Amino acid sequence: MVLERLGRSPRVVSAPPPRRIALTDALGEYADRSESDSAEDDDWFPKPIPITIPLGSSQELVKLFHDQKPDNPNLPPLLLPEYDKEEATDEQSVSGSEEQRGRGRGAPAPDVAQPARPRFDRSMLMRGTLTVPRSDYTETFTVWWDASSGAARVDFFDGATSTYRVVLPDGHVQGVEMHVDRTEEFDVLRCVQTAPRRAAPPDRAPPALPDLDLFSFGGYTETPQGRAERWKLTAAGRGGELGGVRGEALTFRHELLLVRAPDNYTAVPLQYTVSVDSSVLGYNVEGYEFRYQELRYETPDPALLQPNTADVCEELSQTDKIEVVEPLREYTMPYRDPRYDAELIRLKTKFYRQYSDDVEEALRKTLLIGASRFISAANRQSGPSLLEVNFLADRLEAEQRLLLGAGEAPGPSSAEAAPTSQRRARRDAERLPRNFDWRRHGAVTPVRFQGSCSSCWAFAVVGAVEGALFLRTSRLVPLSEQDLIDCAHPYGGHGCSGTWPRAAYDYIQDQGLRALDEYLPYEAKVLQCAARQTRPVTHISGHVNVTRNSELALKAAIRRNGPNVVLVDGQSKGFIYHKKGVLYDNRCKKRSRNHAVLAVGWGERRGESFFVVKNSWSSNWANEGYGWLHAPSNTCGVLTEPSYPVLRDPDVDRLPRESSSTDPAPPLSSSPAPPVAPVPQRSKRTSRRRYRLSLP
């Protein structure tokens, strides 16, 4: 539980002052909100902006949106090791407790008269689940609510995160959120609280239940729990109202199913669903469902509702984001949470987004809302990794797949046999350090961005050759991905389409690889091959497929041969929105092998290893372009298909002038390149100057 005492004094972290935003009067009490997540308040840093190109017209994008299907919305956002899938599936198949089912069948209300409007005005303990299908997850929650004061507590994922609504003696309300941060070497209990505020009606209502004063009776329906009442609300707005963008009219359809206790008055909720229709995107573009598995009307122990931040929290910070301390509130609002207006502005400003028309803006906002909900729920799991909203949060899955370029294996491998057996790897394990990273030794070039071109295969192989060349020459020479994209077709390369890394290895072995600033600049598309106009910097003698599913073999291969190419599942939301910590997620598939990245080293956290991977999605992904993948669990398949190039001394053709390895690419010039002195015919028997770098 989050409230376990850790025995240390809190460290108070100040927050930036809140920024008020104006919202439409149509939202009533829900519009009185403070926001500090605007672009002006964000931490800005000079990063290259990753530009992504839409796949087609607005109407084509809408069709792709409706073609998207969730993978498994009954699972939690991240499948952590302690999660028992079978147990959770059984639990989610039950709508209401045994007590609820008995009550529902015992005394159904008569058909001849409308039942009395239900009231949730008694203190309660409630357990349930929230499923958001388009965001592809389910989260569990437990609510304690005191009806006399309005104080409440909600535990998410069995107490991984707890939120509190504290009612102060003067009647003001303060929100508190507590969670254990497991992204560092040691657990840290972090707490966030809001400033006291005057209580509005939602600040007194029970969490996870809608305000039924707005609903009307819609008849009866048969359920496994007996005959249930249907209470419905339809909220329709005009263009730009209720959370829609300009020109978009939204319609929210709410339905609550409940049964009555034997007294024909006490209401027991079973299920609450919301679906959203858009005038420009179509039907059911957004939706979610509460399933109430247990409800007991009882007064909670007052100690359960007191967070006691002074004694428990190790870090205490301030926030004015109500969604942090009341995560379930947006799902019981009659309309869309107005904070997403500011979220969209922030994303558009940060990543220089320009949408073609109102239809695309409506689509992008809907996608952003879905991504934000997934990320927030995943972070409430308090796992070893943290997710964040990044430049892919408003992109369709089809657009995200453009970044995945590892194709199917074309047939028998031309790789050399792996020189490191499992027995030798185990013997060498004692010699391997706990932490090793080629970035610290100068063998890794800066993170680059592949753009809307499925060329990750080229970026990963180029990075591996750059590292291998550094080991031979002590020079870090940036090499050209465009060379591979343009020219590797005869060897099985498919340019901006899925390509197995072997095509890149075979091309470099036969034709060599050119320097980044001597070949055509990267344009995220296939150009006419210009390899004959520039001499290569290096060839390779071949490549090696590292022993599969062996943590020790991959570590040894990285240590001896430089960064390795690894193939991972880049389509998992946990991977896409990864920010920091060690990603440990069994929803990230081990055998998908759809994305190529570069393993540049490894580390250890809490006694378990992780691999450091360099991505080609710009420094706006994860930690400046680098992520950590849990090694023992083979998260995302990092151990499934590793490989590295074999680069020997005779393979080095030449080293460009020193500035080629350090300076950015010069501007293009129409003047011819200066003549280059001829070099001997490449041969393994040719006498060459021997370059050697001692391993650190």
Side-chain angles (χ1 to χ4, degrees), residues 432-632:
L432 294 173
R434 291 179 55 192
N435 300 278
F436 183 81
D437 195 327
W438 276 114
R439 291 177 294 174
R440 298 173 184 169
H441 304 288
V444 184
T445 57
V447 173
R448 302 198 276 268
F449 181 49
Q450 67 185 77
S452 298
C453 172
S454 302
S455 55
C456 61
W457 59 276
F459 281 80
V461 172
V462 163
V465 175
E466 289 171 342
L469 182 63
F470 176 82
L471 264 67
R472 289 291 168 185
T473 67
S474 300
R475 285 273 302 279
L476 183 60
V477 181
L479 302 173
S480 173
E481 298 89 0
Q482 192 71 44
D483 185 4
L484 291 175
I485 295 170
D486 297 345
C487 307
H489 296 279
Y491 300 85
H494 300 293
C496 286
S497 299
T499 298
W500 193 251
R502 189 181 83 185
Y505 288 132
D506 290 349
Y507 170 79
I508 300 170
Q509 182 176 0
D510 195 34
Q511 300 293 330
L513 189 60
R514 284 128 196 96
L516 179 67
D517 62 355
E518 294 179 350
Y519 191 79
L520 300 175
Y522 184 77
E523 293 192 25
K525 63 181 180 180
V526 180
L527 307 174
Q528 184 174 356
C529 180
R532 293 183 179 274
Q533 301 177 19
T534 308
R535 290 178 50 225
V537 171
T538 188
H539 288 69
I540 60 175
S541 297
H543 70 282
V544 171
N545 290 334
V546 181
T547 303
R548 293 182 176 183
N549 303 317
S550 171
E551 178 184 335
L552 295 178
L554 180 54
K555 286 181 178 179
I558 294 172
R559 179 70 171 78
R560 293 194 184 109
N561 304 284
N564 277 218
V565 175
V566 294
L567 303 182
V568 298
D569 177 15
Q571 201 167 351
S572 160
K573 288 183 172 65
F575 183 87
I576 289 172
Y577 301 121
H578 178 48
K579 172 58 179 175
K580 62 175 289 190
V582 180
L583 181 60
Y584 189 166
D585 178 19
N586 286 326
R587 292 191 71 169
C588 197
K589 299 178 178 63
K590 297 173 174 57
R591 298 184 181 276
S592 287
R593 303 183 304 179
N594 51 41
H595 184 51
V597 294
L598 190 68
V600 301
W602 68 86
E604 189 173 298
R605 179 63 57 85
R606 300 168 183 263
E608 293 188 320
S609 296
F610 60 84
F611 285 101
V612 181
V613 297
K614 175 188 178 184
N615 204 351
S616 51
W617 293 356
S618 87
S619 57
N620 287 273
W621 179 79
N623 186 7
E624 300 296 323
Y626 292 87
W628 293 359
L629 302 182
H630 189 252

Side-chain angles (χ1 to χ4, degrees), residues 112-244:
V112 295
Q114 176 173 317
R117 183 175 299 278
R119 302 287 181 187
F120 299 113
D121 53 6
R122 295 161 57 188
S123 299
M124 66 176 69
L125 163 67
M126 177 169 58
R127 292 188 175 92
T129 60
L130 169 63
T131 300
V132 188
R134 281 202 174 273
S135 296
D136 200 23
Y137 75 88
T138 291
E139 67 178 319
T140 61
F141 62 85
T142 302
V143 172
W144 293 267
W145 179 64
D146 180 66
S148 62
S149 65
R153 167 179 166 177
V154 183
D155 280 3
F156 297 90
F157 298 107
D158 296 323
T161 294
S162 296
T163 61
Y164 296 81
R165 183 195 301 161
V166 181
V167 180
L168 303 176
D170 61 0
H172 283 63
V173 174
Q174 184 175 39
V176 177
E177 186 254 21
M178 293 182 171
H179 72 277
V180 178
D181 183 351
R182 295 186 172 90
T183 64
E184 304 295 341
E185 183 66 35
F186 301 101
D187 289 351
V188 178
L189 184 56
R190 302 189 189 277
C191 302
V192 181
Q193 66 182 16
T194 64
R197 64 186 184 278
R198 184 174 299 174
D203 294 320
R204 302 284 190 181
L209 288 169
D211 180 5
L212 288 184
D213 286 341
L214 306 173
F215 285 58
S216 60
F217 179 63
Y220 294 93
T221 186
E222 291 298 326
T223 71
Q225 291 76 35
R227 185 166 54 176
E229 300 171 17
R230 299 168 61 211
W231 290 84
K232 305 176 72 173
L233 167 67
T234 299
R238 294 173 296 183
E241 295 180 345
L242 311 185

